[in-house]
Amino acid sequence: QVQLVESGGGLVQAGGSLRLSCAASGRTFRFYQMGWFRQAPGKEREFVANIRWSSGNTYSADSVKGRFTISRDNVKNTLYLQMNSLKPEDTAVYYCAGRTTISIQPRTSSWEYDNWGQGTQVTVSS
């Protein structure tokens, strides 16, 4: 019912910046929370950042605090991830996800989300 499409990935040098977008479309749009996850080859999918859609409150993983900023545009129904001071260890496929059930606390596990995009590759060179 809801489609999520990521864009904005690419190849950047360490210390550079990149802005990821996740556009939501479809007949219905009711995500209580949205998040960004990433997965490097041979690694588990890990939490990056989360936003409570209505309030705009955010929560980020320690590994990206101070460098990445998650935000949303209600008019465009779009989720963003501004990535600054990129490091080679940030290299991964980045996924956006939506959660359709309500929760007070930010959700940081992939199984707590039920809508996913196809991902966009981010590669950071040294």
Side-chain angles (χ1 to χ4, degrees), residues 32-119:
Y32 290 99
Q33 299 186 26
M34 293 192 74
W36 287 97
F37 291 77
R38 65 187 183 186
Q39 187 167 24
K43 304 295 183 181
E44 299 282 344
R45 186 169 298 187
E46 67 173 348
F47 169 77
V48 175
N50 162 280
I51 187 167
R52 271 51 57 79
W53 195 264
S54 181
S55 67
N57 290 343
T58 63
Y59 177 78
S60 300
D62 289 340
S63 60
V64 305
K65 270 189 171 66
R67 300 189 298 121
F68 292 6
T69 302
I70 187 172
S71 62
R72 86 281 194 260
D73 187 321
N74 291 335
V75 176
K76 296 181 179 180
N77 289 333
T78 301
L79 180 73
Y80 301 99
L81 184 67
Q82 179 64 48
M83 310 165 69
N84 299 325
S85 301
L86 284 163
K87 306 174 181 179
E89 51 262 46
D90 294 319
T91 296
V93 176
Y94 283 70
Y95 300 89
C96 67
R99 176 180 168 87
T100 58
T101 53
I102 193 168
S103 178
I104 297 175
Q105 299 299 320
R107 300 291 114 187
T108 61
S109 299
S110 60
W111 61 266
E112 295 175 310
Y113 293 78
D114 42 25
N115 289 80
W116 292 85
Q118 293 301 305

XYZ file of all heavy atoms in Angstrom, residues 32-119:
718
model
N 3.960 5.934 12.129
C 4.182 6.589 13.407
C 5.660 6.909 13.598
O 6.005 7.912 14.224
C 3.678 5.717 14.551
C 2.180 5.622 14.604
C 1.511 4.522 14.079
C 1.425 6.644 15.182
C 0.133 4.433 14.122
C 0.041 6.559 15.224
C -0.594 5.450 14.692
O -1.963 5.371 14.739
N 6.505 6.040 13.079
C 7.933 6.254 13.130
C 8.552 5.850 11.800
O 8.061 4.966 11.111
C 8.589 5.434 14.246
C 8.100 5.771 15.643
C 8.877 5.047 16.723
O 10.045 4.682 16.531
N 8.256 4.858 17.874
N 9.637 6.504 11.466
C 10.436 6.089 10.328
C 11.894 6.059 10.750
O 12.296 6.762 11.677
C 10.248 7.024 9.133
C 8.856 6.969 8.535
S 8.736 7.816 6.934
C 9.585 6.638 5.869
N 12.656 5.235 10.068
C 14.048 5.111 10.441
C 14.950 4.814 9.262
O 14.488 4.464 8.180
N 16.222 4.993 9.512
C 17.258 4.612 8.569
C 18.074 3.477 9.166
O 18.451 3.525 10.338
C 18.189 5.778 8.242
C 17.584 6.833 7.373
C 17.014 8.004 7.767
C 17.502 6.809 5.941
N 16.576 8.719 6.686
C 16.862 8.009 5.547
C 17.900 5.911 4.959
C 16.618 8.315 4.208
C 17.651 6.215 3.633
C 17.018 7.402 3.267
N 18.327 2.467 8.360
C 19.178 1.346 8.725
C 20.240 1.193 7.651
O 20.085 1.691 6.541
C 18.367 0.054 8.842
C 17.415 0.026 10.007
C 16.212 0.710 9.964
C 17.725 -0.691 11.153
C 15.329 0.689 11.031
C 16.848 -0.732 12.228
C 15.662 -0.039 12.171
N 21.306 0.499 7.989
C 22.341 0.249 7.001
C 22.891 -1.164 7.162
O 22.860 -1.740 8.241
C 23.478 1.269 7.107
C 24.269 1.214 8.404
C 25.250 2.376 8.476
N 26.080 2.325 9.662
C 26.937 3.275 10.014
N 27.080 4.356 9.255
N 27.659 3.139 11.128
N 23.396 -1.691 6.058
C 23.941 -3.037 6.075
C 25.156 -3.116 5.169
O 25.063 -2.877 3.967
C 22.886 -4.052 5.641
C 23.321 -5.494 5.792
C 22.165 -6.464 5.648
O 21.154 -6.156 5.030
N 22.311 -7.635 6.233
N 26.286 -3.449 5.759
C 27.514 -3.647 5.022
C 27.627 -5.121 4.637
O 27.022 -5.983 5.289
C 28.713 -3.221 5.858
N 28.387 -5.442 3.598
C 28.539 -6.844 3.184
C 29.009 -7.732 4.329
O 29.981 -7.421 5.013
C 29.588 -6.765 2.080
C 29.433 -5.392 1.517
C 29.115 -4.530 2.706
N 28.305 -8.832 4.539
C 28.666 -9.773 5.580
C 28.317 -9.334 6.987
O 28.672 -10.025 7.948
N 27.626 -8.212 7.120
C 27.275 -7.694 8.434
C 25.768 -7.693 8.642
O 24.992 -7.770 7.691
C 27.812 -6.274 8.615
C 29.309 -6.130 8.418
C 30.085 -6.893 9.481
C 31.580 -6.681 9.313
N 32.363 -7.444 10.321
N 25.380 -7.601 9.907
C 23.968 -7.495 10.248
C 23.452 -6.111 9.892
O 24.200 -5.136 9.878
C 23.757 -7.756 11.739
C 24.172 -9.132 12.226
C 23.158 -10.191 11.888
O 22.013 -9.841 11.557
O 23.499 -11.379 11.953
N 22.174 -6.034 9.608
C 21.556 -4.742 9.378
C 21.503 -3.995 10.711
O 21.023 -4.531 11.713
C 20.153 -4.908 8.800
C 19.499 -3.599 8.393
C 18.228 -3.835 7.580
N 18.505 -4.543 6.341
C 17.617 -4.763 5.384
N 16.373 -4.315 5.525
N 17.956 -5.432 4.297
N 21.994 -2.772 10.722
C 22.065 -2.025 11.962
C 21.294 -0.710 11.897
O 21.154 -0.090 10.844
C 23.524 -1.751 12.356
C 24.261 -0.810 11.421
C 25.640 -0.427 11.936
O 25.942 -0.705 13.115
O 26.413 0.152 11.150
N 20.837 -0.316 13.055
C 20.083 0.916 13.203
C 20.977 2.129 13.039
O 22.110 2.149 13.528
C 19.418 0.936 14.580
C 18.833 2.260 14.963
C 17.624 2.686 14.428
C 19.485 3.087 15.868
C 17.076 3.906 14.784
C 18.952 4.305 16.230
C 17.742 4.711 15.681
N 20.461 3.151 12.373
C 21.192 4.397 12.187
C 20.494 5.556 12.901
O 21.078 6.223 13.751
C 21.365 4.740 10.696
C 22.033 6.104 10.528
C 22.176 3.653 9.996
N 19.238 5.799 12.545
C 18.503 6.913 13.136
C 17.008 6.700 13.002
O 16.548 5.999 12.099
C 18.908 8.237 12.480
N 16.263 7.320 13.877
C 14.815 7.181 13.931
C 14.168 8.538 14.160
O 14.765 9.420 14.797
C 14.431 6.215 15.062
C 12.983 6.329 15.501
O 12.631 7.234 16.264
N 12.152 5.409 15.030
N 12.961 8.700 13.639
C 12.208 9.925 13.875
C 10.751 9.584 14.157
O 10.156 8.744 13.481
C 12.331 10.900 12.682
C 11.687 12.249 13.015
C 11.707 10.316 11.412
C 12.033 13.349 12.021
N 10.182 10.203 15.182
C 8.753 10.107 15.455
C 8.074 11.123 14.545
O 8.320 12.326 14.653
C 8.473 10.414 16.927
C 8.515 9.221 17.892
C 9.768 8.366 17.807
N 11.026 9.091 18.024
C 11.500 9.432 19.212
N 10.846 9.111 20.325
N 12.652 10.091 19.303
N 7.276 10.623 13.617
C 6.790 11.453 12.532
C 6.045 12.693 12.973
O 6.287 13.785 12.467
C 5.911 10.637 11.579
C 5.686 11.347 10.286
C 4.619 12.119 9.941
C 6.578 11.375 9.173
N 4.793 12.629 8.676
C 5.986 12.185 8.174
C 7.827 10.787 8.913
C 6.593 12.426 6.953
C 8.434 11.032 7.692
C 7.819 11.838 6.735
N 5.139 12.534 13.912
C 4.298 13.646 14.319
C 5.077 14.741 15.046
O 4.951 15.927 14.716
C 3.156 13.153 15.205
O 2.321 14.223 15.599
N 5.878 14.346 16.014
C 6.592 15.313 16.840
C 7.893 15.791 16.216
O 8.361 16.893 16.504
C 6.885 14.721 18.214
O 7.804 13.650 18.116
N 8.486 14.943 15.396
C 9.788 15.252 14.842
C 10.940 14.887 15.758
O 12.101 15.158 15.433
N 10.645 14.282 16.905
C 11.700 13.854 17.819
C 12.557 12.784 17.170
O 12.045 11.899 16.483
C 11.099 13.312 19.115
C 10.471 14.396 19.959
O 10.734 15.578 19.772
N 9.632 13.992 20.907
N 13.851 12.866 17.407
C 14.789 11.952 16.767
C 15.655 11.212 17.769
O 15.813 11.635 18.921
C 15.705 12.696 15.786
O 16.503 13.654 16.505
C 14.884 13.428 14.736
N 16.199 10.113 17.307
C 17.129 9.318 18.097
C 18.120 8.705 17.128
O 17.726 8.159 16.099
C 16.398 8.229 18.880
C 17.318 7.327 19.668
C 17.854 7.753 20.876
C 17.648 6.054 19.213
C 18.702 6.942 21.600
C 18.496 5.233 19.931
C 19.023 5.686 21.132
O 19.863 4.879 21.852
N 19.405 8.784 17.460
C 20.441 8.292 16.564
C 21.372 7.319 17.270
O 21.565 7.392 18.486
C 21.269 9.454 16.009
O 20.461 10.364 15.284
N 21.949 6.437 16.492
C 22.939 5.515 17.020
C 24.187 6.288 17.433
O 24.516 7.323 16.851
C 23.297 4.466 15.969
N 24.883 5.777 18.442
C 26.079 6.457 18.932
C 27.125 6.643 17.835
O 27.852 7.640 17.825
C 26.690 5.675 20.095
C 25.848 5.749 21.353
O 25.014 6.669 21.467
O 26.032 4.889 22.240
N 27.191 5.701 16.919
C 28.197 5.740 15.875
C 28.030 6.906 14.903
O 28.977 7.265 14.202
C 28.201 4.423 15.095
O 26.944 4.185 14.496
N 26.833 7.485 14.865
C 26.581 8.573 13.920
C 26.171 9.873 14.590
O 25.981 10.887 13.896
C 25.515 8.180 12.875
C 25.916 6.899 12.159
C 24.142 8.032 13.527
N 26.041 9.863 15.897
C 25.663 11.080 16.622
C 26.640 12.205 16.340
O 27.848 12.026 16.372
C 25.604 10.820 18.126
C 24.250 10.367 18.637
C 24.224 10.343 20.157
C 22.822 10.107 20.686
N 22.319 8.756 20.342
N 26.088 13.372 16.049
C 26.910 14.528 15.748
C 27.325 14.620 14.302
O 27.857 15.654 13.879
N 27.106 13.561 13.536
C 27.482 13.550 12.129
C 26.282 13.418 11.194
O 26.237 14.050 10.140
C 28.456 12.408 11.836
C 29.753 12.492 12.621
C 30.757 11.462 12.128
N 30.274 10.091 12.299
C 30.117 9.234 11.302
N 30.410 9.586 10.056
N 29.684 7.998 11.548
N 25.316 12.590 11.583
C 24.132 12.362 10.759
C 22.924 13.038 11.386
O 22.779 13.068 12.615
C 23.820 10.866 10.627
C 24.830 10.072 9.842
C 26.017 10.634 9.395
C 24.575 8.743 9.551
C 26.940 9.894 8.682
C 25.485 7.993 8.829
C 26.667 8.566 8.397
N 22.043 13.544 10.548
C 20.813 14.165 11.016
C 19.628 13.626 10.228
O 19.613 13.704 8.999
C 20.859 15.693 10.865
O 21.974 16.216 11.592
C 19.576 16.317 11.404
N 18.647 13.079 10.936
C 17.438 12.589 10.301
C 16.356 13.667 10.391
O 16.243 14.363 11.403
C 16.958 11.271 10.949
C 15.780 10.680 10.173
C 16.593 11.488 12.415
C 15.383 9.279 10.638
N 15.585 13.817 9.342
C 14.518 14.803 9.326
C 13.418 14.354 8.380
O 13.597 13.401 7.626
C 15.041 16.187 8.924
O 15.571 16.164 7.608
N 12.286 15.038 8.425
C 11.185 14.695 7.530
C 10.501 15.949 7.015
O 10.529 16.996 7.661
C 10.154 13.769 8.204
C 9.062 14.471 9.028
C 9.551 14.885 10.385
N 8.488 15.266 11.309
C 8.150 16.512 11.586
N 8.791 17.529 10.992
N 7.204 16.768 12.461
N 9.884 15.831 5.858
C 9.112 16.893 5.244
C 7.695 16.373 5.095
O 7.433 15.496 4.272
C 9.696 17.283 3.887
C 9.023 18.500 3.285
O 7.791 18.635 3.398
O 9.732 19.324 2.676
N 6.780 16.898 5.896
C 5.401 16.420 5.881
C 4.690 16.683 4.555
O 3.872 15.885 4.110
C 4.606 17.065 7.018
C 5.030 16.579 8.385
O 5.558 15.478 8.531
N 4.797 17.394 9.404
N 5.003 17.806 3.941
C 4.363 18.163 2.684
C 4.784 17.217 1.568
O 3.970 16.773 0.765
C 4.674 19.622 2.298
C 4.078 19.951 0.935
C 4.138 20.571 3.353
N 6.065 16.909 1.522
C 6.597 16.049 0.475
C 6.524 14.564 0.813
O 6.837 13.728 -0.036
C 8.047 16.417 0.180
C 8.231 17.812 -0.384
C 9.699 18.091 -0.667
C 9.903 19.469 -1.258
N 11.337 19.743 -1.537
N 6.129 14.248 2.045
C 6.116 12.857 2.512
C 7.470 12.198 2.261
O 7.560 11.098 1.711
C 5.000 12.060 1.828
C 3.623 12.466 2.298
O 3.449 12.949 3.414
N 2.627 12.265 1.441
N 8.500 12.887 2.682
C 9.857 12.448 2.416
C 10.696 12.447 3.682
O 10.613 13.377 4.491
C 10.522 13.340 1.356
O 9.753 13.294 0.147
C 11.936 12.877 1.060
N 11.481 11.422 3.829
C 12.421 11.274 4.936
C 13.821 11.565 4.418
O 14.160 11.185 3.299
C 12.348 9.856 5.491
C 13.257 9.509 6.669
C 12.739 10.168 7.944
C 13.336 7.997 6.840
N 14.639 12.217 5.241
C 15.996 12.568 4.837
C 17.017 12.072 5.850
O 16.729 11.886 7.026
C 16.154 14.084 4.705
C 15.233 14.726 3.704
C 14.062 15.359 4.121
C 15.525 14.707 2.348
C 13.213 15.956 3.211
C 14.678 15.299 1.428
C 13.524 15.928 1.863
O 12.684 16.517 0.956
N 18.216 11.880 5.359
C 19.352 11.600 6.226
C 20.523 12.425 5.717
O 21.086 12.120 4.667
C 19.717 10.114 6.237
C 20.833 9.721 7.201
C 20.378 9.916 8.651
C 21.286 8.286 6.977
N 20.861 13.480 6.448
C 22.013 14.291 6.115
C 23.234 13.671 6.762
O 23.288 13.531 7.981
C 21.821 15.730 6.609
C 22.992 16.653 6.318
C 23.212 16.860 4.839
O 22.273 17.136 4.100
N 24.452 16.717 4.393
N 24.194 13.299 5.955
C 25.377 12.596 6.414
C 26.604 13.485 6.223
O 26.969 13.801 5.096
C 25.550 11.288 5.652
C 24.286 10.435 5.612
S 24.347 9.117 4.366
C 25.581 8.045 5.083
N 27.215 13.884 7.322
C 28.407 14.716 7.288
C 29.584 13.978 7.914
O 29.408 12.999 8.632
C 28.173 16.031 8.033
C 27.070 16.871 7.446
O 26.874 16.900 6.226
N 26.339 17.585 8.296
N 30.775 14.471 7.641
C 31.995 13.876 8.186
C 32.020 12.369 7.976
O 32.291 11.596 8.898
C 32.123 14.209 9.678
O 32.149 15.604 9.892
N 31.745 11.957 6.776
C 31.646 10.532 6.467
C 32.975 9.812 6.644
O 34.042 10.364 6.369
C 31.128 10.341 5.047
C 29.621 10.580 4.878
C 29.262 10.790 3.416
C 28.846 9.395 5.452
N 32.876 8.576 7.100
C 34.023 7.724 7.338
C 33.901 6.464 6.487
O 32.800 6.065 6.127
C 34.102 7.329 8.814
C 34.103 8.496 9.791
C 34.025 7.996 11.228
C 34.003 9.149 12.212
N 33.912 8.661 13.617
N 35.023 5.824 6.179
C 34.948 4.581 5.406
C 34.039 3.530 6.039
O 33.382 2.778 5.318
C 36.409 4.102 5.380
C 37.196 5.365 5.431
C 36.425 6.257 6.374
N 33.979 3.488 7.356
C 33.124 2.527 8.032
C 31.636 2.811 7.880
O 30.800 2.006 8.290
C 33.480 2.413 9.526
C 33.559 3.750 10.238
C 34.982 4.264 10.366
O 35.726 4.222 9.365
O 35.358 4.699 11.476
N 31.293 3.955 7.292
C 29.903 4.258 6.986
C 29.450 3.591 5.693
O 28.260 3.638 5.354
C 29.690 5.773 6.871
C 29.896 6.495 8.188
O 29.461 5.972 9.236
O 30.492 7.592 8.168
N 30.369 3.001 4.969
C 30.044 2.339 3.709
C 29.050 1.208 3.942
O 29.291 0.306 4.744
C 31.312 1.794 3.047
O 32.175 2.880 2.694
C 30.965 1.017 1.784
N 27.927 1.266 3.242
C 26.867 0.273 3.406
C 25.724 0.595 2.456
O 25.703 1.652 1.829
C 26.354 0.264 4.851
N 24.792 -0.337 2.373
C 23.524 -0.053 1.724
C 22.610 0.538 2.783
O 22.430 -0.057 3.843
C 22.886 -1.312 1.110
C 21.516 -0.987 0.522
C 23.788 -1.893 0.036
N 22.044 1.682 2.494
C 21.186 2.367 3.444
C 19.722 2.175 3.067
O 19.334 2.371 1.918
C 21.525 3.858 3.501
C 22.777 4.148 4.295
C 24.024 3.777 3.803
C 22.703 4.771 5.536
C 25.174 4.017 4.537
C 23.852 5.017 6.276
C 25.086 4.640 5.775
O 26.223 4.881 6.506
N 18.926 1.784 4.051
C 17.510 1.524 3.854
C 16.666 2.462 4.704
O 17.011 2.746 5.847
C 17.153 0.095 4.261
C 17.873 -0.993 3.500
C 19.101 -1.475 3.939
C 17.309 -1.549 2.361
C 19.761 -2.484 3.258
C 17.961 -2.562 1.673
C 19.183 -3.021 2.125
O 19.825 -4.029 1.439
N 15.557 2.905 4.157
C 14.583 3.609 4.971
C 13.452 2.646 5.294
O 13.182 1.700 4.547
C 14.049 4.870 4.277
S 13.035 4.587 2.806
N 12.805 2.865 6.418
C 11.759 1.970 6.872
C 10.669 2.735 7.606
O 10.926 3.765 8.225
C 12.348 0.900 7.792
N 9.458 2.200 7.538
C 8.326 2.799 8.224
C 7.686 1.816 9.188
O 7.651 0.615 8.934
N 7.202 2.337 10.296
C 6.511 1.540 11.307
C 5.065 1.999 11.378
O 4.795 3.188 11.576
C 7.195 1.704 12.661
C 6.508 0.991 13.809
C 7.260 1.215 15.119
N 6.488 0.782 16.272
C 6.483 -0.447 16.763
N 7.232 -1.389 16.192
N 5.745 -0.757 17.814
N 4.130 1.062 11.257
C 2.710 1.399 11.190
C 1.970 1.195 12.503
O 0.763 1.421 12.563
C 2.007 0.587 10.090
O 2.168 -0.808 10.345
C 2.597 0.921 8.727
N 2.663 0.787 13.547
C 2.035 0.651 14.856
C 2.648 1.650 15.820
O 3.833 1.975 15.730
C 2.186 -0.773 15.423
O 3.560 -1.161 15.417
C 1.375 -1.750 14.599
N 1.832 2.111 16.738
C 2.254 3.178 17.633
C 3.178 2.666 18.729
O 3.066 1.526 19.196
C 1.019 3.874 18.246
C 1.415 5.188 18.917
C 0.312 2.948 19.237
C 0.219 6.049 19.291
N 4.100 3.526 19.134
C 5.027 3.227 20.213
C 5.558 4.537 20.769
O 5.813 5.473 20.011
C 6.184 2.356 19.727
O 7.113 2.113 20.770
N 5.732 4.588 22.079
C 6.243 5.796 22.705
C 7.749 5.924 22.500
O 8.263 7.003 22.197
C 5.912 5.816 24.213
C 4.401 5.849 24.411
C 6.567 7.020 24.888
C 3.974 5.742 25.857
N 8.434 4.818 22.661
C 9.886 4.815 22.543
C 10.320 4.653 21.100
O 9.622 4.038 20.291
C 10.479 3.694 23.392
C 10.176 3.804 24.870
C 10.731 5.075 25.477
O 11.840 5.502 25.142
N 9.964 5.692 26.364
N 11.487 5.200 20.756
C 11.993 4.990 19.402
C 12.328 3.525 19.177
O 12.880 2.860 20.048
C 13.250 5.867 19.361
C 13.667 5.994 20.791
C 12.386 6.021 21.574
N 11.994 3.024 18.005
C 12.251 1.632 17.658
C 13.558 1.535 16.899
O 13.770 2.245 15.911
C 11.103 1.066 16.833
C 9.754 1.082 17.546
C 9.744 0.091 18.692
N 9.647 0.750 19.988
C 9.760 0.128 21.152
N 9.982 -1.180 21.178
N 9.645 0.809 22.277
N 14.429 0.642 17.352
C 15.776 0.555 16.798
C 16.121 -0.803 16.204
O 17.263 -1.016 15.801
C 16.816 0.898 17.873
O 16.713 -0.025 18.959
C 16.583 2.309 18.401
N 15.153 -1.713 16.142
C 15.382 -3.033 15.566
C 14.631 -3.155 14.247
O 13.507 -2.678 14.117
C 14.931 -4.135 16.516
O 15.660 -4.087 17.728
N 15.247 -3.802 13.285
C 14.654 -3.901 11.958
C 13.311 -4.620 11.960
O 12.420 -4.277 11.176
C 15.626 -4.585 10.981
O 15.952 -5.886 11.420
N 13.147 -5.606 12.859
C 11.896 -6.369 12.894
C 10.725 -5.555 13.415
O 9.573 -5.990 13.307
C 12.066 -7.645 13.728
C 12.435 -7.417 15.171
C 13.687 -7.405 15.702
C 11.542 -7.177 16.257
N 13.637 -7.173 17.055
C 12.326 -7.032 17.430
C 10.156 -7.077 16.380
C 11.776 -6.782 18.682
C 9.598 -6.830 17.636
C 10.409 -6.691 18.761
N 10.999 -4.367 13.956
C 9.950 -3.502 14.461
C 9.370 -2.597 13.379
O 8.497 -1.782 13.659
C 10.487 -2.663 15.617
C 10.885 -3.505 16.826
C 11.534 -2.688 17.926
O 12.477 -1.925 17.636
O 11.089 -2.810 19.084
N 9.849 -2.739 12.161
C 9.365 -1.964 11.029
C 8.754 -2.905 9.997
O 9.229 -4.030 9.812
C 10.499 -1.155 10.399
C 11.021 -0.064 11.303
C 11.878 -0.348 12.355
C 10.642 1.261 11.097
C 12.340 0.649 13.199
C 11.110 2.267 11.934
C 11.956 1.955 12.981
O 12.418 2.952 13.809
N 7.721 -2.444 9.316
C 7.020 -3.314 8.385
C 6.943 -2.800 6.950
O 6.309 -3.436 6.103
C 5.609 -3.645 8.891
C 4.880 -2.449 9.479
O 5.200 -1.303 9.105
O 3.984 -2.657 10.315
N 7.551 -1.687 6.665
C 7.660 -1.185 5.303
C 9.097 -0.787 5.030
O 9.689 -0.047 5.809
C 6.735 0.009 5.067
C 5.278 -0.375 5.020
O 4.639 -0.556 6.052
N 4.743 -0.507 3.807
N 9.634 -1.260 3.913
C 11.037 -1.042 3.591
C 11.233 -0.613 2.153
O 10.505 -1.039 1.256
C 11.842 -2.319 3.829
C 11.943 -2.700 5.268
C 11.043 -3.427 5.991
C 13.007 -2.363 6.159
N 11.487 -3.570 7.286
C 12.688 -2.927 7.411
C 14.195 -1.650 6.018
C 13.528 -2.792 8.522
C 15.022 -1.511 7.118
C 14.686 -2.082 8.350
N 12.231 0.229 1.950
C 12.649 0.566 0.608
C 13.663 -0.448 0.117
O 14.020 -1.397 0.823
N 14.151 -0.254 -1.100
C 15.089 -1.190 -1.705
C 16.540 -0.886 -1.371
O 17.415 -1.711 -1.618
C 14.902 -1.218 -3.223
C 13.563 -1.798 -3.662
C 13.382 -3.220 -3.176
O 14.211 -4.090 -3.437
N 12.286 -3.455 -2.450
N 16.796 0.275 -0.813
C 18.137 0.622 -0.399
C 18.902 1.438 -1.419
O 18.621 1.395 -2.616
